[in-house]
Amino acid sequence: MGSGGNTWKLEDHPKLPKGKIVAMVVLDGWGEAKPNKYNCIANADTPTMDSLKNGAPDKWRLVKAHGTAVGLPTEDDMGNSEVGHNALGAGRIFAQGAKLCDLALESGKIFEGDGFKYIKESFESGTLHFVGLLSDGGVHSRLNQLQLLLKGASEHGAKRIRIHALTDGRDVLDGSSVGFVETIENDLTKLREKGIDAKFASGGGRMHVTMDRYENDWNVVKRGWDAQVLGEAPHKFKSALEAIKTLRAEPKANDQYLPPFVIVDENDKAVGPIVDGDAVVTFNFRADRMVMAAKAFEYENFDKFDRVRVPKIRYAGMLQYDGELKLPSHYLVSPPEIDRTSGEYLTHNGVRTYACSETVKFGHVTFFWNGNRSGYFNADMEEYVEIQSDVGITFNVQPKMKALEIAEKARDAILGRKFHQVRVNLPNGDMVGHTGDIEATVVACKAADEAVKIILDAIEQVGGIYVVTADHGNAEDMVKRDKKGEPLVDKDGNVSILTSHTLEPVPIAIGGPGLSPGVKFRKDVPNGGLANVAATVMNLHGFVAPSDYETTLIEVVDN
């Protein structure tokens, strides 16, 4: 309920008018770092963003987008688009995936919950399968959580365990897969010494096997299904370590795109296909790249590819990956209860909202913004528009992506004057940054900047207000660095390209002809983060935020 406990009604802001059109622009993966040759944002032609940064000093600042500012356990945890948009929309900081799972595992509560009890019923006669990302990046999964799951499951009666490993190289250093496999293999050896039949069963790179998102490419999920369920893959090995070392030795190979492989016994038979009576746990806590696999495991009327054989299994996610779809129906850890988001408040207070992005970030500007909730709060007050992302290519091939189309949709929504808030996500800096292609990322940043200009020009025409910010860093630093901050170089003298998010802060800029005179960023919120943006935007719509929201970043100074 609302700030009074019994109503959604927001108080009017004493100094700010209602009814202005506010454009809310999120540049995905757009952090702030010192200019150098690996800073694609600094090296791109970005006159619009430059003008915001170098314009009025009290209308531009930096905010935190990682670590505890977005509900992650430590300041070493890089932000991501999900937690970033949760914070932007919710206005408060909620303990997020990794932290929730850490707490459940440390306390042992995870092994007492309904989800674990459900899969435990397969332990007597079936195999327990763990499918997920082998990584300590803390974005999608965490290696120590898998280790605790292995330990806890074996102590709670699992007799046969198989691991279907997805290699990372995106949120962690490329090549770190070898060390992660060695660590888990060591744990499995100890379990075997205790009489538990525990082995690796299959694997593959995260961008090529299982972990697609937003239904961009179902073939990725199919490759995972074939290896994990059918025990079929183009490559067969006697051990996971041999598999990864051999496949990484191929020209241009990297962890992200390793082909699928299965582990076979001396008779060339797969050691761990998923069959009737087994239990399956996808141990990633982040939702976006698990939803499609969850559908394949859970849906009876599934038609995205031919599953060939659909075993009767007990399936659980580490978390529930989609609250609206109730997917999966069983999960080991309950999600954060994100209630009373800014979008819901504003809708209840007459603010008509338009949200738009392309497929790869559409869920962020809607589902995650609204507190992990699908659909509209009020279909009469809201319109969400998804532009289809390019399919079947890596994003560096078309680095402009759909930035122009998103901006044109936003412009039309602004000039149509039907909506009070027009919210977009421009994915270029993040999605192209993840490819590690520096030249393409520079092009991507320029395209995003051009899109921002189209939106700000429309705001100028209607006398509106703009808020331009980002959800986390990426494109501003594309090289791996040592402890001193110097670029890491491999044995051949080549720099190591960084494809992951960063720990850098992100900008926020406000302006537009509708911005009341005297509005400026406060100096007394030096540690402001993404969660402070919601109260700020509520103010710009003419309302005071609920009292338990993170404080607004702006003040109104009487001239």
Side-chain angles (χ1 to χ4, degrees):
M1 284 299 171
S3 47
N6 60 353
T7 174
W8 283 99
K9 187 95 182 88
L10 292 171
E11 291 171 27
D12 293 349
H13 194 288
K15 294 184 176 179
L16 292 173
K18 277 207 193 80
K20 299 285 182 188
I21 297 174
V22 178
M24 178 76 222
V25 181
V26 180
L27 289 157
D28 216 290
W30 192 286
E32 178 74 12
K34 290 194 181 90
N36 62 60
K37 63 183 182 180
Y38 306 108
N39 183 335
C40 294
I41 295 169
N43 297 332
D45 180 20
T46 57
T48 307
M49 290 302 291
D50 293 347
S51 71
L52 298 185
K53 181 177 176 178
N54 303 322
D58 53 5
K59 304 282 198 307
W60 186 94
R61 64 161 287 173
L62 296 173
V63 288
K64 290 184 173 179
H66 78 287
T68 54
V70 288
L72 296 168
T74 74
E75 296 312 307
D76 294 328
D77 290 309
M78 58 185 81
N80 64 59
S81 304
E82 290 67 38
V83 300
H85 285 79
N86 274 173
L88 285 166
R92 288 147 294 148
I93 300 165
F94 290 84
Q96 281 293 345
K99 199 168 183 179
L100 284 175
C101 297
D102 283 342
L103 295 170
L105 282 159
E106 282 160 20
S107 65
K109 278 197 176 138
I110 195 167
F111 303 112
E112 295 156 22
D114 291 342
F116 189 81
K117 284 177 184 166
Y118 172 71
I119 61 161
K120 191 178 171 183
E121 290 180 42
S122 293
F123 290 0
E124 191 55 46
S125 55
T127 301
L128 169 61
H129 299 263
F130 287 112
V131 181
L133 188 68
L134 231 53
S135 173
D136 64 3
V139 176
H140 290 269
S141 65
R142 220 197 283 288
L143 195 74
N144 67 329
Q145 291 185 359
L146 174 59
Q147 292 180 282
L148 289 169
L149 282 170
L150 285 170
K151 181 174 180 286
S154 62
E155 286 169 358
H156 286 82
K159 297 186 177 75
R160 248 175 79 93
I161 298 173
R162 294 291 182 266
I163 294 174
H164 304 268
L166 305 170
T167 51
D168 189 354
R170 189 174 173 103
D171 299 323
V172 292
L173 295 182
D174 183 47
S176 54
S177 56
V178 175
F180 296 146
V181 167
E182 286 173 335
T183 298
I184 297 299
E185 190 58 77
N186 190 36
D187 289 359
L188 297 177
T189 301
K190 286 176 185 161
L191 289 177
R192 290 197 291 272
E193 285 164 4
K194 291 178 183 168
I196 291 163
D197 177 5
K199 296 172 184 167
F200 277 103
S202 77
R206 58 177 285 179
M207 297 303 288
H208 194 61
V209 179
T210 299
M211 281 176 62
D212 190 49
R213 64 174 170 191
Y214 306 142
E215 310 211 356
N216 215 38
D217 184 357
W218 276 102
N219 287 320
V220 174
V221 183
K222 182 183 188 303
R223 285 190 280 267
W225 182 273
D226 290 352
Q228 296 148 14
V229 179
L230 307 179
E232 293 171 4
H235 301 277
K236 294 176 177 177
F237 295 94
K238 294 291 191 291
S239 81
L241 201 56
E242 181 200 357
I244 285 167
K245 284 182 173 175
T246 306
L247 293 172
R248 277 190 55 78
E250 293 289 315
K252 293 190 175 175
N254 60 36
D255 283 351
Q256 288 191 59
Y257 286 95
L258 284 188
F261 61 86
V262 293
I263 308 304
V264 294
D265 60 19
E266 52 282 358
N267 303 316
D268 253 14
K269 197 162 173 281
V271 301
I274 297 167
V275 298
D276 284 357
D278 286 353
V280 176
V281 171
T282 43
F283 62 85
N284 287 18
F285 43 72
R286 181 163 144 184
D288 60 342
R289 292 190 182 275
M290 278 289 120
V291 168
M292 292 165 72
K295 286 178 177 176
F297 280 125
E298 186 131 307
Y299 284 179
E300 273 182 50
N301 310 337
F302 179 87
D303 61 359
K304 302 301 180 184
F305 59 83
D306 180 4
R307 292 180 290 184
V308 182
R309 180 170 64 74
V310 186
K312 293 182 174 61
I313 57 168
R314 293 176 178 274
Y315 167 57
M318 188 72 156
L319 292 159
Q320 186 162 56
Y321 300 128
D322 189 328
E324 195 71 10
L325 295 173
K326 303 279 185 277
L327 186 77
S329 49
H330 298 274
Y331 42 92
L332 302 187
V333 182
S334 294
E337 299 285 335
I338 300 181
D339 61 344
R340 299 187 297 108
T341 60
S342 59
E344 189 163 13
Y345 267 115
L346 291 170
T347 301
H348 277 289
N349 284 272
V351 174
R352 292 183 169 276
T353 303
Y354 180 92
C356 175
S357 187
E358 61 175 281
T359 308
V360 289
K361 297 292 178 178
F362 175 69
H364 294 82
V365 84
T366 55
F367 176 85
F368 291 108
W369 192 279
N370 291 336
N372 307 334
R373 181 185 184 283
S374 297
Y376 295 114
F377 294 115
N378 180 342
D380 296 332
M381 298 285 290
E382 300 170 279
E383 185 178 339
Y384 300 162
V385 174
E386 175 185 353
I387 295 165
Q388 178 64 47
S389 287
D390 293 319
V391 180
I393 57 165
T394 50
F395 289 104
N396 56 327
V397 177
Q398 296 275 13
K400 295 182 181 179
M401 298 181 66
K402 305 298 178 191
L404 198 64
E405 291 94 321
I406 295 166
E408 287 167 350
K409 290 277 189 197
R411 175 196 65 201
D412 294 348
I414 290 164
L415 298 181
R417 299 175 191 258
K418 178 184 168 187
F419 300 99
H420 306 97
Q421 183 179 113
V422 174
R423 185 169 74 229
V424 301
N425 177 301
L426 299 167
N428 307 59
D430 189 47
M431 298 308 296
V432 184
H434 276 314
T435 68
D437 184 331
I438 287 178
E439 285 177 21
T441 307
V442 170
V443 174
C445 294
K446 180 176 192 276
D449 188 80
E450 288 167 352
V452 174
K453 182 174 195 310
I454 290 169
I455 295 167
L456 301 200
D457 286 351
I459 282 294
E460 189 71 29
Q461 281 188 58
V462 299
I465 300 168
Y466 61 75
V467 180
V468 180
T469 188
D471 56 345
H472 56 74
N474 183 334
E476 80 287 355
D477 195 14
M478 299 281 289
V479 71
K480 294 167 187 167
R481 298 181 182 277
D482 61 21
K483 294 249 178 359
K484 293 180 186 161
E486 296 299 318
L488 278 174
V489 180
D490 67 16
K491 59 181 187 296
D492 301 322
N494 302 313
V495 297
S496 297
I497 296 300
L498 184 73
T499 54
S500 71
H501 299 165
T502 69
L503 301 172
E504 300 297 345
V506 300
I508 178 170
I510 53 172
L515 192 67
S516 299
V519 171
K520 62 176 194 172
F521 282 128
R522 294 161 55 172
K523 294 277 194 285
D524 59 349
V525 196
N527 293 320
L530 294 181
N532 298 83
V533 174
T536 309
V537 171
M538 285 174 154
N539 291 171
L540 297 174
H541 280 294
F543 299 106
V544 176
S547 57
D548 63 339
Y549 267 44
E550 294 291 312
T551 185
T552 180
L553 296 169
I554 58 173
E555 60 185 347
V556 188
V557 181
D558 295 321
N559 291 346

